[in-house]
Amino acid sequence: GENVEQHPSTLSVQEGDSAVIKCTYSDSASNYFPWYKQELGKRPQLIIDIRSNVGEKKDQRIAVTLNKTAKHFSLHITETQPEDSAVYFCAARPETSGSRLTFGEGTQLTVNP
Amino acid sequence: DVKVTQSSRYLVKRTGEKVFLECVQDMDHENMFWYRQDPGLGLRLIYFSYDVKMKEKGDIPEGYSVSREKKERFSLILESASTNQTSMYLCASSKDWGEQFFGPGTRLTVL
């Protein structure tokens, strides 16, 4: 089955700096890669996703890039703000798995004012 | 607005007890999922269901079972709770291959 590894496990940045979280996946049949944000005490929520026919996708201050050859994808947050502090999870979905996602271990991002 | 609710936010049970966690979604989603969340281990899939009475094992099904008698409701059952099942349990639902919407979670402590 699919295996997703996520790095780093913790990331601390100063407000205004950029943050990058990286994930690698094992199943070359994966074709959908969402990112979820979980604020303290709250439920995970989808913030951005990318499909395998696209190399990059942006939404305001967040962007995701995908390298299918290397089987890795990354989340980029620019101009970080304290409200970006949360746990971020990447996930991958193989074409053959139906609606099932495999999640990474999560990254605790702390943005210091 | 999709709503996924779980029966309890906090639950304390004793070793050997049978535990029921319930999840209800109000958006007619076909797919429902149960995850377990532990620090440093991410979200691990226990079971999922793509239709009423249909279920499939996830990555860590041992010690758990599920029931889906109605489309909107998906139950996770711990037949005989053990201390290593102390965790946060998250339910989610999705339509087709779309976004998964999560419930607020149930923090289960087994003493």
Side-chain angles (χ1 to χ4, degrees), chain B residues 12-25:
Chain B
V12 179
K13 296 292 181 181
R14 297 214 172 267
T15 302
E17 280 193 81
K18 190 168 186 175
V19 182
F20 293 88
L21 303 182
E22 292 211 312
C23 175
V24 178
Q25 51 93 6

PDB file of all heavy atoms in Angstrom, chain B residues 12-25:
ATOM      1  N   VAL B  12     -14.275   8.251  28.962  1.00  0.00           N
ATOM      2  CA  VAL B  12     -13.369   7.485  29.818  1.00  0.00           C
ATOM      3  C   VAL B  12     -14.000   6.121  30.049  1.00  0.00           C
ATOM      4  O   VAL B  12     -15.143   6.029  30.502  1.00  0.00           O
ATOM      5  CB  VAL B  12     -13.120   8.194  31.168  1.00  0.00           C
ATOM      6  CG1 VAL B  12     -12.181   7.354  32.036  1.00  0.00           C
ATOM      7  CG2 VAL B  12     -12.538   9.579  30.942  1.00  0.00           C
ATOM      8  N   LYS B  13     -13.269   5.077  29.727  1.00  0.00           N
ATOM      9  CA  LYS B  13     -13.757   3.705  29.878  1.00  0.00           C
ATOM     10  C   LYS B  13     -12.720   2.859  30.604  1.00  0.00           C
ATOM     11  O   LYS B  13     -11.559   3.243  30.740  1.00  0.00           O
ATOM     12  CB  LYS B  13     -14.043   3.098  28.492  1.00  0.00           C
ATOM     13  CG  LYS B  13     -15.157   3.799  27.733  1.00  0.00           C
ATOM     14  CD  LYS B  13     -16.494   3.567  28.396  1.00  0.00           C
ATOM     15  CE  LYS B  13     -17.620   4.229  27.635  1.00  0.00           C
ATOM     16  NZ  LYS B  13     -18.936   4.010  28.298  1.00  0.00           N
ATOM     17  N   ARG B  14     -13.170   1.710  31.060  1.00  0.00           N
ATOM     18  CA  ARG B  14     -12.271   0.790  31.761  1.00  0.00           C
ATOM     19  C   ARG B  14     -11.860  -0.340  30.820  1.00  0.00           C
ATOM     20  O   ARG B  14     -12.602  -0.708  29.902  1.00  0.00           O
ATOM     21  CB  ARG B  14     -12.953   0.231  32.992  1.00  0.00           C
ATOM     22  CG  ARG B  14     -13.289   1.319  34.015  1.00  0.00           C
ATOM     23  CD  ARG B  14     -13.165   0.817  35.447  1.00  0.00           C
ATOM     24  NE  ARG B  14     -13.298   1.924  36.386  1.00  0.00           N
ATOM     25  CZ  ARG B  14     -12.275   2.600  36.853  1.00  0.00           C
ATOM     26  NH1 ARG B  14     -11.043   2.305  36.491  1.00  0.00           N
ATOM     27  NH2 ARG B  14     -12.448   3.589  37.712  1.00  0.00           N
ATOM     28  N   THR B  15     -10.703  -0.890  31.090  1.00  0.00           N
ATOM     29  CA  THR B  15     -10.195  -2.025  30.314  1.00  0.00           C
ATOM     30  C   THR B  15     -11.236  -3.137  30.286  1.00  0.00           C
ATOM     31  O   THR B  15     -11.817  -3.471  31.321  1.00  0.00           O
ATOM     32  CB  THR B  15      -8.894  -2.553  30.942  1.00  0.00           C
ATOM     33  OG1 THR B  15      -7.940  -1.502  30.979  1.00  0.00           O
ATOM     34  CG2 THR B  15      -8.334  -3.715  30.135  1.00  0.00           C
ATOM     35  N   GLY B  16     -11.469  -3.669  29.070  1.00  0.00           N
ATOM     36  CA  GLY B  16     -12.412  -4.764  28.904  1.00  0.00           C
ATOM     37  C   GLY B  16     -13.818  -4.325  28.562  1.00  0.00           C
ATOM     38  O   GLY B  16     -14.638  -5.164  28.144  1.00  0.00           O
ATOM     39  N   GLU B  17     -14.130  -3.048  28.711  1.00  0.00           N
ATOM     40  CA  GLU B  17     -15.466  -2.567  28.380  1.00  0.00           C
ATOM     41  C   GLU B  17     -15.671  -2.535  26.869  1.00  0.00           C
ATOM     42  O   GLU B  17     -14.720  -2.369  26.099  1.00  0.00           O
ATOM     43  CB  GLU B  17     -15.680  -1.146  28.913  1.00  0.00           C
ATOM     44  CG  GLU B  17     -16.022  -1.076  30.374  1.00  0.00           C
ATOM     45  CD  GLU B  17     -16.529   0.315  30.763  1.00  0.00           C
ATOM     46  OE1 GLU B  17     -17.711   0.594  30.532  1.00  0.00           O
ATOM     47  OE2 GLU B  17     -15.718   1.092  31.296  1.00  0.00           O
ATOM     48  N   LYS B  18     -16.918  -2.663  26.437  1.00  0.00           N
ATOM     49  CA  LYS B  18     -17.273  -2.501  25.037  1.00  0.00           C
ATOM     50  C   LYS B  18     -17.592  -1.019  24.831  1.00  0.00           C
ATOM     51  O   LYS B  18     -18.353  -0.429  25.601  1.00  0.00           O
ATOM     52  CB  LYS B  18     -18.476  -3.365  24.691  1.00  0.00           C
ATOM     53  CG  LYS B  18     -18.772  -3.449  23.204  1.00  0.00           C
ATOM     54  CD  LYS B  18     -19.787  -4.551  22.917  1.00  0.00           C
ATOM     55  CE  LYS B  18     -19.990  -4.759  21.421  1.00  0.00           C
ATOM     56  NZ  LYS B  18     -20.879  -5.882  21.096  1.00  0.00           N
ATOM     57  N   VAL B  19     -16.989  -0.438  23.814  1.00  0.00           N
ATOM     58  CA  VAL B  19     -17.112   1.003  23.592  1.00  0.00           C
ATOM     59  C   VAL B  19     -17.693   1.266  22.206  1.00  0.00           C
ATOM     60  O   VAL B  19     -17.266   0.646  21.220  1.00  0.00           O
ATOM     61  CB  VAL B  19     -15.737   1.691  23.713  1.00  0.00           C
ATOM     62  CG1 VAL B  19     -15.878   3.205  23.523  1.00  0.00           C
ATOM     63  CG2 VAL B  19     -15.089   1.388  25.063  1.00  0.00           C
ATOM     64  N   PHE B  20     -18.649   2.168  22.146  1.00  0.00           N
ATOM     65  CA  PHE B  20     -19.261   2.569  20.882  1.00  0.00           C
ATOM     66  C   PHE B  20     -18.957   4.045  20.639  1.00  0.00           C
ATOM     67  O   PHE B  20     -19.261   4.898  21.474  1.00  0.00           O
ATOM     68  CB  PHE B  20     -20.780   2.386  20.927  1.00  0.00           C
ATOM     69  CG  PHE B  20     -21.221   0.959  21.004  1.00  0.00           C
ATOM     70  CD1 PHE B  20     -21.355   0.323  22.235  1.00  0.00           C
ATOM     71  CD2 PHE B  20     -21.528   0.246  19.855  1.00  0.00           C
ATOM     72  CE1 PHE B  20     -21.767  -1.003  22.307  1.00  0.00           C
ATOM     73  CE2 PHE B  20     -21.946  -1.075  19.919  1.00  0.00           C
ATOM     74  CZ  PHE B  20     -22.069  -1.693  21.147  1.00  0.00           C
ATOM     75  N   LEU B  21     -18.395   4.347  19.472  1.00  0.00           N
ATOM     76  CA  LEU B  21     -18.226   5.731  19.048  1.00  0.00           C
ATOM     77  C   LEU B  21     -19.090   5.924  17.812  1.00  0.00           C
ATOM     78  O   LEU B  21     -18.995   5.137  16.859  1.00  0.00           O
ATOM     79  CB  LEU B  21     -16.761   6.027  18.715  1.00  0.00           C
ATOM     80  CG  LEU B  21     -15.729   5.774  19.818  1.00  0.00           C
ATOM     81  CD1 LEU B  21     -14.343   6.157  19.332  1.00  0.00           C
ATOM     82  CD2 LEU B  21     -16.076   6.529  21.078  1.00  0.00           C
ATOM     83  N   GLU B  22     -19.905   6.978  17.847  1.00  0.00           N
ATOM     84  CA  GLU B  22     -20.821   7.184  16.724  1.00  0.00           C
ATOM     85  C   GLU B  22     -20.494   8.460  15.959  1.00  0.00           C
ATOM     86  O   GLU B  22     -20.081   9.454  16.539  1.00  0.00           O
ATOM     87  CB  GLU B  22     -22.253   7.236  17.235  1.00  0.00           C
ATOM     88  CG  GLU B  22     -22.736   5.903  17.763  1.00  0.00           C
ATOM     89  CD  GLU B  22     -24.222   5.718  17.553  1.00  0.00           C
ATOM     90  OE1 GLU B  22     -24.962   6.649  17.877  1.00  0.00           O
ATOM     91  OE2 GLU B  22     -24.633   4.639  17.085  1.00  0.00           O
ATOM     92  N   CYS B  23     -20.743   8.397  14.682  1.00  0.00           N
ATOM     93  CA  CYS B  23     -20.481   9.517  13.792  1.00  0.00           C
ATOM     94  C   CYS B  23     -21.699   9.690  12.875  1.00  0.00           C
ATOM     95  O   CYS B  23     -22.206   8.705  12.321  1.00  0.00           O
ATOM     96  CB  CYS B  23     -19.236   9.237  12.958  1.00  0.00           C
ATOM     97  SG  CYS B  23     -18.856  10.483  11.714  1.00  0.00           S
ATOM     98  N   VAL B  24     -22.122  10.939  12.724  1.00  0.00           N
ATOM     99  CA  VAL B  24     -23.264  11.236  11.858  1.00  0.00           C
ATOM    100  C   VAL B  24     -22.897  12.380  10.927  1.00  0.00           C
ATOM    101  O   VAL B  24     -22.328  13.374  11.362  1.00  0.00           O
ATOM    102  CB  VAL B  24     -24.504  11.622  12.685  1.00  0.00           C
ATOM    103  CG1 VAL B  24     -25.671  11.987  11.771  1.00  0.00           C
ATOM    104  CG2 VAL B  24     -24.899  10.483  13.613  1.00  0.00           C
ATOM    105  N   GLN B  25     -23.215  12.210   9.638  1.00  0.00           N
ATOM    106  CA  GLN B  25     -23.012  13.302   8.669  1.00  0.00           C
ATOM    107  C   GLN B  25     -24.345  13.616   7.993  1.00  0.00           C
ATOM    108  O   GLN B  25     -25.179  12.743   7.797  1.00  0.00           O
ATOM    109  CB  GLN B  25     -21.924  12.943   7.643  1.00  0.00           C
ATOM    110  CG  GLN B  25     -22.080  11.597   6.960  1.00  0.00           C
ATOM    111  CD  GLN B  25     -22.830  11.610   5.656  1.00  0.00           C
ATOM    112  OE1 GLN B  25     -23.191  12.676   5.136  1.00  0.00           O
ATOM    113  NE2 GLN B  25     -23.062  10.436   5.102  1.00  0.00           N
TER     114      GLN B  25
END
